[in-house]
Amino acid sequence: MVHIVPSIFAADFLTLGADIQRVVEAGTRMIHLDIMDGHFVPNFTMGTPITEAVRRFTQLKLDHHLMIEDPDTYAPIFIKAGADCVSVHYEVCRNLDRTVHMIKDHGALAGVVINPHTPVFLLENVLAIVDYVLVMSVNPGYGGQIFIPNSLNKVRELARRRSERGLSFSIEIDGGVGPENIADVARAGVDWAVAGSSVFRAPDPVTAIRSMLRTAEEAISVKV
Ligand code: DX5
Ligand code: ZN
């Protein structure tokens, strides 16, 4: 089953509670928080005050995507603030095995993210210890970008390696996901589909989520 994971980066921060309430209404179980430091990516977003405020507001799982240069320092701080899942970029981790274990030791699910230019085979030695792998389907830093189709080949490769090795990590995709590609995303083997603009910039986020879920379910149930 595919879960739609709304990214609050595309929400209205002045009415964040109301926006989150809408996605709860649609049956969402998890929301995505994009943490950017202005170094790893050319943009800033939010710090722990937002995590704490959202944590007080909802019981939804809080999925933190750390687009920052120093995840070893900040992952524990975000977990203390309320993060349930924390993903770190392969491209910045010098001791990835240690970082993954550190996140798990702090009580969160640990994910590893790969940018569009990073191949799946580089994750071979951590697939057995991660809780999820996040495939970037845009270059990180901004919402509302165009989906990069090659990301689906990477998802299929991860799904194949997972089944060959009998592993159980989840596969997440992030960037440019919407009604026009959710069927392909689901068929490729994605478990968690992050959606920012296609949810919060839609006329009605509840309808947008439900409709994408329906399309995804139909896509997986049709055998070709
Ligand atoms: C991009 C972020 C994404 C972004 C997705 O760097 O990691 O999570 O918010 O936004 P959309 O769905 O608009 O591409
Ligand atoms: Zn993200």
Side-chain angles (χ1 to χ4, degrees):
M1 177 182 175
V2 182
H3 292 281
I4 303 293
V5 185
S7 164
I8 63 168
F9 188 24
D12 183 343
F13 277 34
L14 282 179
T15 54
L16 187 54
D19 279 4
I20 292 176
Q21 202 50 51
R22 298 292 281 151
V23 304
V24 169
E25 218 178 292
T28 300
R29 295 191 190 162
M30 179 156 64
I31 52 177
H32 185 84
L33 288 83
D34 286 304
I35 313 300
M36 304 184 187
D37 65 355
H39 290 278
F40 178 61
V41 288
N43 203 357
F44 287 100
T45 50
M46 48 197 129
T48 50
I50 302 281
T51 300
E52 287 163 357
V54 174
R55 179 75 295 158
R56 283 194 300 273
F57 182 76
T58 179
Q59 291 306 304
L60 290 179
K61 296 279 180 220
L62 305 183
D63 173 30
H64 281 59
H65 174 192
L66 302 189
M67 285 160 275
I68 63 177
E69 292 281 354
D70 184 6
D72 291 322
T73 298
Y74 292 102
I77 294 172
F78 279 101
I79 294 168
K80 188 156 181 258
D84 299 289
C85 316
V86 174
S87 60
V88 295
H89 271 261
Y90 171 86
E91 296 82 11
V92 297
C93 292
R94 290 195 190 146
N95 297 287
L96 185 55
D97 180 278
R98 178 187 289 154
T99 302
V100 166
H101 283 297
M102 179 271 288
I103 292 169
K104 292 163 90 160
D105 288 347
H106 279 82
L109 296 185
V112 175
V113 195
I114 48 174
N115 268 340
H117 71 273
T118 304
V120 165
F121 75 83
L122 291 170
L123 299 184
E124 198 59 40
N125 293 334
V126 292
L127 290 182
I129 58 167
V130 296
D131 295 301
Y132 60 108
V133 175
L134 169 48
V135 175
M136 286 309 296
S137 40
V138 297
N139 286 291
Y142 302 96
Q145 302 184 79
I146 306 288
F147 185 86
I148 299 174
N150 184 51
S151 323
L152 295 184
N153 293 327
K154 294 163 81 171
V155 169
R156 285 188 275 268
E157 189 179 342
L158 278 164
R160 181 174 54 75
R161 285 172 191 244
R162 178 173 64 184
S163 110
E164 281 171 3
R165 294 178 56 188
L167 300 173
S168 58
F169 59 84
S170 298
I171 302 174
E172 183 173 32
I173 199 162
D174 183 10
V177 174
E180 65 290 352
N181 53 28
I182 191 68
D184 292 336
V185 161
R187 274 193 290 262
V190 166
D191 304 296
W192 304 348
V194 176
S197 315
S198 62
V199 168
F200 289 112
R201 305 284 159 93
D204 178 10
V206 179
T207 308
I209 292 175
R210 288 188 181 152
S211 152
M212 279 195 278
L213 281 175
R214 203 175 320 116
T215 307
E217 285 306 308
E218 282 167 8
I220 324 181
S221 65
V222 174
K223 297 272 179 269
V224 280

